Short mmCIF file of all heavy atoms in Angstrom, two decimals:
data_model
loop_
_atom_site.label_atom_id
_atom_site.label_comp_id
_atom_site.label_asym_id
_atom_site.label_seq_id
_atom_site.Cartn_x
_atom_site.Cartn_y
_atom_site.Cartn_z
N LYS A 1 8.22 -13.52 17.80
CA LYS A 1 8.07 -13.39 19.25
C LYS A 1 9.42 -13.75 19.98
O LYS A 1 9.99 -14.62 19.70
CB LYS A 1 7.04 -14.39 19.78
CG LYS A 1 6.84 -14.52 21.19
CD LYS A 1 5.78 -15.50 21.59
CE LYS A 1 5.56 -15.57 23.18
NZ LYS A 1 4.52 -16.67 23.38
N VAL A 2 9.81 -12.65 20.64
CA VAL A 2 11.07 -12.85 21.49
C VAL A 2 10.73 -12.87 22.87
O VAL A 2 10.26 -11.79 23.49
CB VAL A 2 12.09 -11.72 21.14
CG1 VAL A 2 13.51 -11.70 21.93
CG2 VAL A 2 12.29 -11.54 19.58
N THR A 3 11.08 -13.91 23.65
CA THR A 3 10.93 -13.95 25.13
C THR A 3 12.28 -13.96 25.67
O THR A 3 13.25 -14.78 25.41
CB THR A 3 10.19 -15.38 25.40
OG1 THR A 3 8.96 -15.50 24.64
CG2 THR A 3 9.84 -15.48 26.79
N HIS A 4 12.39 -13.04 26.60
CA HIS A 4 13.63 -12.76 27.34
C HIS A 4 13.30 -12.58 28.73
O HIS A 4 12.74 -11.57 29.23
CB HIS A 4 14.26 -11.48 26.84
CG HIS A 4 15.67 -11.33 27.09
ND1 HIS A 4 16.31 -10.29 27.63
CD2 HIS A 4 16.72 -12.29 26.88
CE1 HIS A 4 17.57 -10.47 27.80
NE2 HIS A 4 17.84 -11.71 27.42
N GLY A 5 13.46 -13.75 29.54
CA GLY A 5 12.95 -13.67 30.84
C GLY A 5 11.43 -13.72 30.94
O GLY A 5 10.82 -14.55 30.18
N ARG A 6 10.93 -12.77 31.65
CA ARG A 6 9.47 -12.60 31.62
C ARG A 6 8.84 -11.67 30.57
O ARG A 6 7.73 -11.60 30.53
CB ARG A 6 8.88 -12.28 33.05
CG ARG A 6 9.30 -13.28 34.06
CD ARG A 6 8.97 -12.96 35.46
NE ARG A 6 7.66 -12.21 35.63
CZ ARG A 6 7.25 -11.56 36.65
NH1 ARG A 6 8.03 -11.39 37.70
NH2 ARG A 6 6.16 -10.79 36.61
N ARG A 7 9.77 -11.05 29.97
CA ARG A 7 9.26 -10.11 29.01
C ARG A 7 9.14 -10.67 27.55
O ARG A 7 10.03 -11.47 27.15
CB ARG A 7 10.30 -9.01 28.80
CG ARG A 7 10.42 -8.06 30.01
CD ARG A 7 11.27 -6.86 29.86
NE ARG A 7 11.07 -5.98 30.81
CZ ARG A 7 11.82 -4.87 30.96
NH1 ARG A 7 12.66 -4.53 29.99
NH2 ARG A 7 11.59 -3.98 31.97
N VAL A 8 8.00 -10.35 26.95
CA VAL A 8 7.65 -10.75 25.56
C VAL A 8 7.70 -9.55 24.67
O VAL A 8 7.00 -8.58 24.99
CB VAL A 8 6.33 -11.56 25.53
CG1 VAL A 8 5.87 -11.90 24.20
CG2 VAL A 8 6.38 -12.71 26.42
N ARG A 9 8.34 -9.81 23.63
CA ARG A 9 8.44 -8.62 22.59
C ARG A 9 7.81 -9.30 21.33
O ARG A 9 8.30 -10.36 20.88
CB ARG A 9 9.84 -8.15 22.35
CG ARG A 9 10.08 -7.05 21.24
CD ARG A 9 11.38 -6.59 21.12
NE ARG A 9 11.82 -5.82 22.40
CZ ARG A 9 12.84 -6.06 23.22
NH1 ARG A 9 13.55 -7.04 22.92
NH2 ARG A 9 13.01 -5.12 24.09
N ILE A 10 6.83 -8.60 20.65
CA ILE A 10 6.20 -9.06 19.60
C ILE A 10 6.55 -8.14 18.25
O ILE A 10 6.35 -6.92 18.49
CB ILE A 10 4.70 -9.19 19.63
CG1 ILE A 10 4.42 -10.41 20.76
CG2 ILE A 10 4.03 -9.53 18.27
CD1 ILE A 10 2.97 -10.49 21.02
N PHE A 11 6.98 -8.68 17.25
CA PHE A 11 7.29 -7.94 15.95
C PHE A 11 6.19 -8.24 15.09
O PHE A 11 5.81 -9.38 14.85
CB PHE A 11 8.57 -8.29 15.43
CG PHE A 11 9.87 -7.96 16.25
CD1 PHE A 11 10.21 -8.65 17.24
CD2 PHE A 11 10.49 -6.69 15.96
CE1 PHE A 11 11.57 -8.37 17.91
CE2 PHE A 11 11.62 -6.34 16.73
CZ PHE A 11 12.03 -7.11 17.64
N GLN A 12 5.56 -7.11 14.43
CA GLN A 12 4.61 -7.33 13.40
C GLN A 12 5.34 -6.84 12.03
O GLN A 12 5.65 -5.61 12.02
CB GLN A 12 3.34 -6.45 13.75
CG GLN A 12 2.30 -6.39 12.67
CD GLN A 12 1.74 -7.84 12.57
OE1 GLN A 12 1.49 -8.55 13.33
NE2 GLN A 12 1.72 -8.37 11.23
N LEU A 13 5.36 -7.65 11.12
CA LEU A 13 6.04 -7.31 9.81
C LEU A 13 5.01 -6.89 8.81
O LEU A 13 4.09 -7.73 8.63
CB LEU A 13 6.93 -8.45 9.36
CG LEU A 13 7.73 -9.12 10.32
CD1 LEU A 13 8.56 -10.28 9.78
CD2 LEU A 13 8.72 -8.17 11.03
N LYS A 14 5.07 -5.88 8.31
CA LYS A 14 4.21 -5.31 7.18
C LYS A 14 5.03 -4.88 5.96
O LYS A 14 6.00 -4.03 6.16
CB LYS A 14 3.31 -4.18 7.69
CG LYS A 14 2.37 -4.45 8.74
CD LYS A 14 1.13 -5.38 8.39
CE LYS A 14 0.20 -5.68 9.35
NZ LYS A 14 -0.87 -6.65 9.12
N TYR A 15 4.75 -5.36 4.74
CA TYR A 15 5.54 -5.14 3.69
C TYR A 15 4.80 -3.97 2.85
O TYR A 15 4.25 -4.11 1.87
CB TYR A 15 5.71 -6.33 2.72
CG TYR A 15 6.75 -6.10 1.69
CD1 TYR A 15 8.03 -5.98 1.90
CD2 TYR A 15 6.31 -6.11 0.41
CE1 TYR A 15 9.04 -5.87 1.03
CE2 TYR A 15 7.22 -5.97 -0.67
CZ TYR A 15 8.50 -5.79 -0.31
OH TYR A 15 9.46 -5.50 -1.39
N TYR A 16 4.98 -2.73 3.44
CA TYR A 16 4.29 -1.60 2.85
C TYR A 16 5.36 -0.80 2.41
O TYR A 16 6.03 0.06 3.19
CB TYR A 16 3.48 -0.83 3.98
CG TYR A 16 2.21 -1.63 4.53
CD1 TYR A 16 1.82 -1.34 5.86
CD2 TYR A 16 1.61 -2.70 3.81
CE1 TYR A 16 0.61 -1.95 6.26
CE2 TYR A 16 0.49 -3.33 4.23
CZ TYR A 16 0.03 -2.89 5.55
OH TYR A 16 -0.99 -3.66 6.12
N LEU A 17 5.78 -0.91 1.24
CA LEU A 17 6.96 -0.08 0.61
C LEU A 17 6.64 1.44 0.56
O LEU A 17 7.62 2.27 0.57
CB LEU A 17 7.27 -0.67 -0.84
CG LEU A 17 7.76 -2.14 -1.02
CD1 LEU A 17 7.92 -2.44 -2.41
CD2 LEU A 17 9.11 -2.07 -0.12
N ASP A 18 5.43 1.72 0.47
CA ASP A 18 5.15 3.17 0.30
C ASP A 18 4.25 3.70 1.64
O ASP A 18 3.58 4.69 1.46
CB ASP A 18 4.32 3.55 -0.92
CG ASP A 18 3.27 2.57 -1.25
OD1 ASP A 18 3.09 1.62 -0.34
OD2 ASP A 18 2.58 2.60 -2.21
N GLY A 19 4.34 2.99 2.63
CA GLY A 19 3.81 3.55 3.91
C GLY A 19 2.18 3.07 4.02
O GLY A 19 1.79 2.29 3.36
N PHE A 20 1.62 3.97 4.89
CA PHE A 20 0.24 3.72 4.97
C PHE A 20 -0.50 5.05 5.37
O PHE A 20 -0.92 5.36 6.39
CB PHE A 20 -0.03 2.83 6.23
CG PHE A 20 0.80 2.92 7.44
CD1 PHE A 20 0.52 3.70 8.45
CD2 PHE A 20 2.13 2.21 7.42
CE1 PHE A 20 1.39 3.77 9.49
CE2 PHE A 20 2.92 2.30 8.49
CZ PHE A 20 2.60 3.14 9.49
N PRO A 21 -0.39 5.91 4.26
CA PRO A 21 -1.05 7.29 4.43
C PRO A 21 -2.55 7.15 4.51
O PRO A 21 -3.12 6.14 4.27
CB PRO A 21 -0.78 7.98 3.09
CG PRO A 21 -0.51 6.89 2.16
CD PRO A 21 0.10 5.68 2.87
N THR A 22 -3.17 8.22 5.15
CA THR A 22 -4.59 8.20 5.35
C THR A 22 -5.39 8.27 4.13
O THR A 22 -6.57 7.69 4.08
CB THR A 22 -5.03 9.35 6.35
OG1 THR A 22 -4.61 10.65 5.77
CG2 THR A 22 -4.37 9.26 7.61
N THR A 23 -4.84 8.97 3.11
CA THR A 23 -5.75 9.06 1.81
C THR A 23 -5.72 7.96 0.95
O THR A 23 -6.60 7.67 0.32
CB THR A 23 -5.09 10.38 1.08
OG1 THR A 23 -3.60 10.14 0.93
CG2 THR A 23 -5.37 11.59 1.86
N ALA A 24 -4.61 7.15 0.88
CA ALA A 24 -4.54 6.06 0.07
C ALA A 24 -4.32 4.80 0.91
O ALA A 24 -3.78 4.90 2.03
CB ALA A 24 -3.39 6.19 -0.98
N TYR A 25 -4.62 3.61 0.41
CA TYR A 25 -4.35 2.50 1.27
C TYR A 25 -5.03 2.47 2.55
O TYR A 25 -4.47 2.12 3.66
CB TYR A 25 -2.87 2.09 1.26
CG TYR A 25 -2.18 2.29 0.06
CD1 TYR A 25 -1.26 3.18 -0.22
CD2 TYR A 25 -2.41 1.35 -1.01
CE1 TYR A 25 -0.50 3.38 -1.40
CE2 TYR A 25 -1.63 1.35 -2.25
CZ TYR A 25 -0.78 2.35 -2.51
OH TYR A 25 -0.07 2.46 -3.62
N LYS A 26 -6.33 2.91 2.72
CA LYS A 26 -6.96 2.98 3.99
C LYS A 26 -6.95 1.66 4.66
O LYS A 26 -6.96 1.70 5.95
CB LYS A 26 -8.32 3.49 3.70
CG LYS A 26 -8.44 4.98 3.31
CD LYS A 26 -9.66 5.55 3.17
CE LYS A 26 -9.73 6.85 2.56
NZ LYS A 26 -10.97 7.46 2.45
N GLY A 27 -6.86 0.56 3.90
CA GLY A 27 -7.13 -0.79 4.72
C GLY A 27 -5.72 -1.21 5.45
O GLY A 27 -5.79 -1.93 6.33
N ARG A 28 -4.70 -0.41 5.12
CA ARG A 28 -3.28 -0.73 5.84
C ARG A 28 -3.46 -0.37 7.39
O ARG A 28 -3.03 -1.12 8.14
CB ARG A 28 -2.26 -0.06 5.14
CG ARG A 28 -1.93 -0.65 3.77
CD ARG A 28 -0.78 0.04 3.08
NE ARG A 28 -0.61 -0.55 1.73
CZ ARG A 28 0.39 -0.23 0.92
NH1 ARG A 28 1.23 0.74 1.18
NH2 ARG A 28 0.58 -0.84 -0.32
N ARG A 29 -3.90 0.84 7.74
CA ARG A 29 -4.05 1.30 9.07
C ARG A 29 -4.96 0.29 9.74
O ARG A 29 -4.65 -0.01 10.99
CB ARG A 29 -4.47 2.72 9.22
CG ARG A 29 -3.35 3.73 8.81
CD ARG A 29 -3.72 5.17 9.08
NE ARG A 29 -2.58 5.92 8.53
CZ ARG A 29 -2.17 7.01 9.13
NH1 ARG A 29 -2.84 7.44 10.18
NH2 ARG A 29 -1.23 7.78 8.59
N LYS A 30 -6.05 -0.07 9.27
CA LYS A 30 -6.99 -0.94 9.73
C LYS A 30 -6.28 -2.25 10.04
O LYS A 30 -6.41 -2.91 11.17
CB LYS A 30 -8.15 -1.18 8.86
CG LYS A 30 -9.26 -2.04 9.44
CD LYS A 30 -10.40 -2.18 8.43
CE LYS A 30 -11.53 -3.11 9.05
NZ LYS A 30 -12.68 -3.14 8.03
N SER A 31 -5.48 -2.89 9.18
CA SER A 31 -4.65 -4.06 9.29
C SER A 31 -3.71 -4.00 10.50
O SER A 31 -3.60 -4.84 11.21
CB SER A 31 -3.95 -4.38 8.10
OG SER A 31 -3.15 -5.40 8.17
N ILE A 32 -3.13 -2.79 10.46
CA ILE A 32 -1.98 -2.61 11.68
C ILE A 32 -2.78 -2.61 12.97
O ILE A 32 -2.39 -3.27 13.97
CB ILE A 32 -1.39 -1.26 11.36
CG1 ILE A 32 -0.31 -1.47 10.19
CG2 ILE A 32 -0.57 -0.88 12.79
CD1 ILE A 32 0.19 -0.01 9.76
N ARG A 33 -3.92 -1.96 13.10
CA ARG A 33 -4.79 -1.84 14.30
C ARG A 33 -5.23 -3.22 14.64
O ARG A 33 -5.16 -3.62 15.91
CB ARG A 33 -6.03 -1.04 14.02
CG ARG A 33 -5.83 0.40 14.55
CD ARG A 33 -7.10 1.16 14.60
NE ARG A 33 -6.97 2.49 14.30
CZ ARG A 33 -7.25 2.97 13.07
NH1 ARG A 33 -7.75 2.11 12.05
NH2 ARG A 33 -7.09 4.17 12.57
N ARG A 34 -5.55 -4.02 13.71
CA ARG A 34 -6.17 -5.37 14.00
C ARG A 34 -4.94 -6.29 14.45
O ARG A 34 -5.11 -7.01 15.43
CB ARG A 34 -6.70 -5.91 12.61
CG ARG A 34 -7.64 -7.18 12.87
CD ARG A 34 -8.38 -7.66 11.61
NE ARG A 34 -7.73 -7.33 10.37
CZ ARG A 34 -8.04 -6.59 9.45
NH1 ARG A 34 -9.27 -5.89 9.54
NH2 ARG A 34 -7.44 -6.45 8.26
N SER A 35 -3.84 -6.17 13.86
CA SER A 35 -2.61 -7.04 14.23
C SER A 35 -2.31 -6.53 15.61
O SER A 35 -1.86 -7.42 16.45
CB SER A 35 -1.48 -6.66 13.40
OG SER A 35 -1.80 -7.13 11.97
N PHE A 36 -2.28 -5.28 16.07
CA PHE A 36 -1.91 -4.83 17.39
C PHE A 36 -2.83 -5.43 18.33
O PHE A 36 -2.55 -5.83 19.38
CB PHE A 36 -2.00 -3.26 17.45
CG PHE A 36 -1.66 -2.64 18.71
CD1 PHE A 36 -0.46 -2.68 19.25
CD2 PHE A 36 -2.59 -2.02 19.53
CE1 PHE A 36 -0.06 -2.17 20.53
CE2 PHE A 36 -2.45 -1.54 20.74
CZ PHE A 36 -0.99 -1.62 21.28
N ALA A 37 -4.17 -5.35 18.08
CA ALA A 37 -5.21 -5.84 18.98
C ALA A 37 -5.07 -7.35 19.34
O ALA A 37 -5.09 -7.77 20.34
CB ALA A 37 -6.65 -5.63 18.34
N ARG A 38 -4.73 -8.12 18.22
CA ARG A 38 -4.48 -9.50 18.22
C ARG A 38 -3.22 -9.82 19.26
O ARG A 38 -3.22 -10.65 20.08
CB ARG A 38 -4.45 -10.21 17.09
CG ARG A 38 -5.73 -10.38 16.39
CD ARG A 38 -5.60 -11.38 15.19
NE ARG A 38 -4.75 -11.01 14.19
CZ ARG A 38 -4.90 -10.37 12.99
NH1 ARG A 38 -6.31 -10.19 12.76
NH2 ARG A 38 -4.04 -10.10 12.20
N ALA A 39 -2.25 -9.02 19.03
CA ALA A 39 -0.97 -9.14 19.76
C ALA A 39 -1.15 -8.88 21.19
O ALA A 39 -0.54 -9.50 22.07
CB ALA A 39 0.16 -8.26 19.24
N LEU A 40 -2.07 -7.95 21.52
CA LEU A 40 -2.25 -7.66 22.95
C LEU A 40 -2.79 -8.80 23.70
O LEU A 40 -2.68 -8.84 24.98
CB LEU A 40 -3.20 -6.41 23.13
CG LEU A 40 -2.64 -5.06 22.66
CD1 LEU A 40 -3.79 -3.99 22.94
CD2 LEU A 40 -1.45 -4.73 23.57
N GLN A 41 -3.50 -9.72 23.09
CA GLN A 41 -3.97 -10.87 23.80
C GLN A 41 -2.86 -11.70 24.33
O GLN A 41 -3.13 -12.53 25.29
CB GLN A 41 -4.75 -11.78 22.81
CG GLN A 41 -6.00 -11.07 22.24
CD GLN A 41 -6.79 -11.84 21.23
OE1 GLN A 41 -6.33 -12.91 20.80
NE2 GLN A 41 -7.83 -11.27 20.64
#
């Protein structure tokens, strides 16, 4: 979390060496969505 004045920037780190394609590793996109939703709070 980087706070600069009133602005907050959140970094989400995912160690996906081979990305998150739709056909394989389907849980990765779900994990990204879940992390994003939590960060929005």
